[in-house]
Amino acid sequence: MGEKVVAGSFDLSDRQRYRDKLRQCLTGLERLLAQQRFDRPKNLMGLEIELNLVGSDGLPKMLNAEVLERIASRDFQTELAMFNLEVNIAPHRLGGRVFDRLAEELRIALAYADRKAGEVDAGIAMIGILPTLDRDDLVSSNLSDVDRYTLLNDQIVAARGEDFTLDIEGVEHLRCTSGSITPEAACTSVQLHLQVTPGRFADVWNAAQAIAAPQVALGANSPFLFGRELWRESRPPLFQQSTDTRPPELQAQGVRPRTWFGERWITSAYDLFEENLRYFPALLPICDEEDPLAVIEAGGTPKLAELVLHNGTVYRWNRPVYGVADGVPHLRVENRVLPAGPSVTDVVANAAFYYGVVRALAEDARPVWTRMPFEAAAANFDAACRYGIDARLEWPRRGRLGGTTTVDAVTLVRDELLPLAAAGLDAWGIEPADRDLYLGVIDERCRRRANGATWQAATFHQALEKGLSRDAALAATTRRYRELMQHGDPVHSWPVGLPEPVPMT
């Protein structure tokens, strides 16, 4: 969806032509896979973080165009709403002290962006859902002034044919409607990319699906929406409901939502692209002039533009990505389950855990996905979103017994997944100092059962107990969060509550 899209209307012939082009692209992908034309492994990882703009009062600021103009860097881009930005870190080769380098780059980039935002009385907040967002902030007039967002909104609204219903029952219950997809903009995430060969793709994707729940349990950072305390990680239900093209009748028929965990383990990257065509109608039937099959026959590399565009409108939590670099095609797994924040150290620790565990599980002689039903992975993801670090997850038994058992997320991570992550990072060639520093952050979160969601909720409730109104407590929690985020310490070490006011002398 990063491509320039010219807003316009579509007729019936556009959709039929686009469907034909999608089938050609899928055939082209199949041929490229059969011909083994893909890039060799380079151990490349990439990172994107979506950000919020807030004022000194903790409330959202609709100023991304002004802030981006001041930042003037291609590393920063617009996101869906005017209070959103995104920072993209250039691909890095996994190995050595890569995580320390990544952390330093992020600190420099975010500090620079924050200074530039300060010129228009705004600041950067790296958080899953900004607690101070109000329903009036998430309306179509606050969409970023970019054609592709307007067009995407119009097409999803037209496909649904009625208002979107947000209905999330957690600690409290939120039920409301929206006339646009703008509530999706409340969800600010971290996307972790890993370039893989076609032969390794299925194992890496299956491993990423299996550990999506532990990732969310550890990293939950989105307990509030529209003033209500909901799930510990409220982004997934919000994202699904705010992009849901299915009216209730289609939901009752079992039609898949466009924001989707999936329904099976796979054997090839082709499986996912084929499912996307089979299950999801085109939202943006914009055709490219390229003939992908002719390009392949001539020995060239096709862009597969229609396939790439369509793939970008199916919101899998682990998404397949086709790209071309220096004339050579490659595949990536894009992991989208994590919320942004809380601190740079936390983001990098989450990344180190992910890249380590995925490598270890993908190379396991008895893969976890051969020992656990896919339905259990999906149920685990739901449980982790609801309960965060207190979730209980279904996982294969260790040893020869077989079957699965239910285990606390923190026990699973400390006893089984952290050792796997360490082994995986060793296999990548990560320096022991980097490995131990960032996996140590994950271990401490587990030991203290503390993450961004627990800190936000505890600080909010303390503020209420001190007599603040709900709105004032959410704003004070947001201001304190941003202050601690800028200090940079990992969230498990953050003091809960608001600082005591300094007495006047």
Side-chain angles (χ1 to χ4, degrees):
M1 283 305 298
E3 296 298 315
K4 281 281 185 186
V5 172
V6 179
S9 58
F10 306 115
D11 60 27
L12 300 179
S13 64
D14 290 324
R15 295 188 181 279
Q16 184 59 55
R17 180 165 174 256
Y18 187 79
R19 184 179 289 115
D20 292 342
K21 282 296 297 287
L22 273 176
R23 289 176 181 145
Q24 289 177 36
C25 287
L26 190 64
T27 301
L29 177 67
E30 190 173 26
R31 289 185 187 174
L32 289 170
L33 290 167
Q35 294 171 11
Q36 300 183 338
R37 292 270 303 279
F38 284 83
D39 199 4
R40 293 289 156 260
K42 292 181 178 174
N43 295 354
L44 286 179
M45 57 84 75
L47 176 70
E48 305 166 55
I49 307 176
E50 295 160 353
L51 308 165
N52 291 282
L53 290 172
V54 297
S56 58
D57 55 4
L59 302 181
K61 298 279 269 191
M62 307 295 166
L63 292 170
N64 66 355
E66 293 88 334
V67 172
L68 283 168
E69 187 178 350
R70 285 166 168 77
I71 291 173
S73 165
R74 284 183 294 181
D75 293 342
F76 286 84
Q77 299 173 356
T78 54
E79 256 300 325
L80 185 61
M82 293 180 180
F83 62 90
N84 297 143
L85 303 175
E86 181 175 271
V87 59
N88 297 286
I89 298 299
H92 285 62
R93 193 178 300 275
L94 280 159
R97 298 300 300 268
V98 64
F99 293 115
D100 257 1
R101 291 199 306 276
L102 191 64
E104 185 63 17
E105 284 181 38
L106 279 171
R107 288 186 190 102
I108 291 169
L110 293 176
Y112 173 72
D114 197 63
R115 284 198 305 275
K116 291 299 179 182
E119 295 175 9
V120 289
D121 299 319
I124 300 293
M126 190 166 55
I127 191 168
I129 296 175
L130 194 62
T132 50
L133 282 170
D134 186 81
R135 286 177 61 186
D136 292 341
D137 297 318
L138 293 168
V139 292
S140 55
S141 57
N142 283 335
L143 285 171
S144 292
D145 188 19
V146 177
D147 285 342
R148 69 176 183 271
Y149 298 135
T150 303
L151 184 55
L152 183 65
N153 177 67
D154 292 348
Q155 294 301 306
I156 290 180
V157 169
R160 183 172 173 87
E162 59 189 72
D163 282 354
F164 299 88
T165 298
L166 304 182
D167 190 347
I168 306 172
E169 188 160 7
V171 177
E172 297 174 305
H173 190 182
L174 172 71
R175 184 177 170 84
C176 62
T177 59
S178 172
S180 77
I181 66 167
T182 319
E184 178 204 325
C187 307
T188 42
S189 310
V190 171
Q191 284 110 44
L192 300 172
H193 290 257
L194 180 61
Q195 185 178 327
V196 293
T197 59
R200 300 298 291 155
F201 186 95
D203 288 346
V204 171
W205 188 86
N206 288 339
Q209 289 286 97
I211 64 154
Q215 279 184 280
V216 169
L218 291 167
N221 196 28
S222 314
F224 297 106
L225 176 64
F226 299 159
R228 303 285 171 84
E229 185 177 356
L230 301 174
W231 293 11
R232 283 299 181 248
E233 186 49 54
S234 304
R235 283 168 40 259
L238 171 59
F239 206 111
Q240 178 174 322
Q241 293 175 20
S242 62
T243 59
D244 201 342
T245 54
R246 309 167 304 160
E249 296 81 5
L250 290 184
Q251 293 179 36
Q253 290 172 36
V255 172
R256 286 111 179 137
R258 294 192 87 97
T259 301
W260 196 35
F261 188 80
E263 61 192 17
R264 62 180 176 129
W265 306 116
I266 64 166
T267 58
S268 164
Y270 180 87
D271 294 351
L272 299 176
F273 289 102
E274 187 276 331
E275 278 185 351
N276 286 355
L277 267 65
R278 183 154 40 103
Y279 294 146
F280 301 104
L283 286 177
L284 302 170
I286 300 166
C287 287
D288 189 81
E289 293 181 1
E290 175 187 78
D291 181 336
L293 301 182
V295 171
I296 292 172
E297 285 168 12
T301 300
K303 295 179 294 183
L304 305 184
E306 292 81 7
L307 190 75
V308 170
L309 179 60
H310 184 63
N311 191 55
T313 65
V314 179
Y315 304 105
R316 293 178 182 270
W317 293 107
N318 283 292
R319 179 190 270 167
V321 178
Y322 170 89
V324 180
D326 300 323
V328 181
H330 66 263
L331 291 171
R332 303 194 303 274
V333 174
E334 181 190 16
N335 177 258
R336 302 159 49 82
V337 306
L338 288 167
S343 69
V344 167
T345 299
D346 288 305
V347 169
V348 176
N350 290 340
F353 177 78
Y354 169 74
Y355 288 116
V357 175
V358 158
R359 170 127 189 194
L361 289 181
E363 296 180 349
D364 195 332
R366 293 181 65 225
V368 64
W369 55 92
T370 66
R371 299 182 286 132
M372 180 170 76
F374 190 90
E375 293 75 16
N380 284 347
F381 184 67
D382 187 75
C385 293
R386 285 178 182 271
Y387 304 114
I389 208 155
D390 294 321
R392 288 178 60 77
L393 308 175
E394 185 178 342
W395 199 256
R397 284 193 180 91
R398 298 167 85 173
R400 299 174 179 271
L401 290 174
T404 61
T405 187
T406 303
V407 60
D408 284 347
V410 293
T411 302
L412 173 64
V413 170
R414 294 191 82 189
D415 289 357
E416 195 164 340
L417 299 183
L418 272 173
L420 284 173
L425 294 180
D426 288 344
W428 287 121
I430 301 297
E431 289 280 345
D434 247 25
R435 175 199 67 204
D436 295 344
L437 171 63
Y438 291 107
L439 295 187
V441 170
I442 301 297
D443 188 51
E444 277 298 300
R445 265 193 235 156
C446 290
R447 195 174 67 80
R448 304 186 192 198
R449 288 183 177 256
N451 59 16
T454 65
W455 183 89
Q456 287 187 57
T459 298
F460 167 73
H461 286 289
Q462 277 201 21
L464 288 182
E465 288 164 11
K466 289 186 172 182
L468 272 65
S469 69
R470 288 182 72 92
D471 287 349
L474 287 167
T477 298
T478 303
R479 293 194 300 271
R480 179 62 172 158
Y481 177 102
R482 207 175 89 78
E483 182 184 320
L484 293 168
M485 179 200 85
Q486 289 178 304
H487 287 167
D489 294 328
V491 72
H492 67 256
S493 68
W494 290 10
V496 167
L498 305 175
E500 294 294 330
V502 178
M504 300 294 287
T505 55

